[in-house]
Amino acid sequence: IEKGGYEHFMLKEIHEQPKTIFDCLRGRLDVVNGEIIMAGVQEHIEALKNAKRIIVVACGTSWHAGLVAEYIIEELCRIPVEVEYASEFRYRNPIIEKGDVIFAISQSGETADTLAALRYAQDKDYLSTLSICNVPTSSLARESEHVLFTNAGPEIGVASTKAFTTQLAGLM
């Protein structure tokens, strides 16, 4: 991992965003037919379309990506979306109903509160869990029913840039 001629990793990662969005969507866009193919999710697309509600659990930057996605999903899909801070999710005894879909978002896939929220939801009567993360070998990836990998690569800078934009690309 090197700065590649940039003065700071932060600057490098800001400039890497277009490439990481391309990498996130590579192999998933069928430009000829105007379709998006999401391996691991595609076989459950009807169930997702019929979801009664989507509950996003995340922390930090991933939580902010969920907040942006809430507006877009509700506008385009007309499915209610709730965005929950993962660290509070299991402690407030949330109402999870059959037909709800849980989206767990984590850059590393090792965020303890997001993992705990996912496990809590899996113990309830839910429709499905979909995780969005960057690390294929992570706990979140292993424990989720369906995973969308963002392919953002390592992020060294403190402010998350690549993770945020690729999470948004994946959520869209």
Side-chain angles (χ1 to χ4, degrees), residues 77-147:
C77 302
R78 306 307 300 160
I79 299 171
V81 178
E82 293 179 19
V83 182
E84 302 279 347
Y85 227 92
S87 59
E88 299 176 16
F89 183 69
R90 63 189 166 145
Y91 297 114
R92 68 173 194 80
N93 193 21
I95 299 167
I96 302 174
E97 298 178 348
K98 191 166 182 64
D100 289 345
V101 176
I102 306 297
F103 285 5
I105 310 172
S106 169
Q107 191 278 337
S108 67
E110 299 297 339
T111 308
D113 289 322
T114 303
L115 283 166
L118 175 75
R119 292 170 184 150
Y120 179 89
Q122 288 175 329
D123 288 340
K124 304 297 178 192
D125 193 15
Y126 64 93
L127 169 69
S128 185
T129 57
L130 169 69
S131 293
I132 298 171
C133 80
N134 188 38
V135 183
T137 57
S138 68
S139 299
L140 190 67
R142 288 192 311 273
E143 294 184 29
S144 298
E145 289 180 274
H146 316 291
V147 184

Side-chain angles (χ1 to χ4, degrees), residues 1 8 12-13 16 23 30-31 35 43 61 64 67 75 91 96 99 108 119-120 134 147 149 154 160:
I1 298 173
H8 304 283
K12 176 185 181 213
E13 291 164 5
E16 288 177 339
D23 290 344
D30 179 351
V31 179
E35 294 181 349
E43 59 269 14
T61 299
H64 285 95
L67 289 174
E75 176 71 25
Y91 297 114
I96 302 174
S108 67
R119 292 170 184 150
Y120 179 89
N134 188 38
V147 184
F149 295 109
S160 181

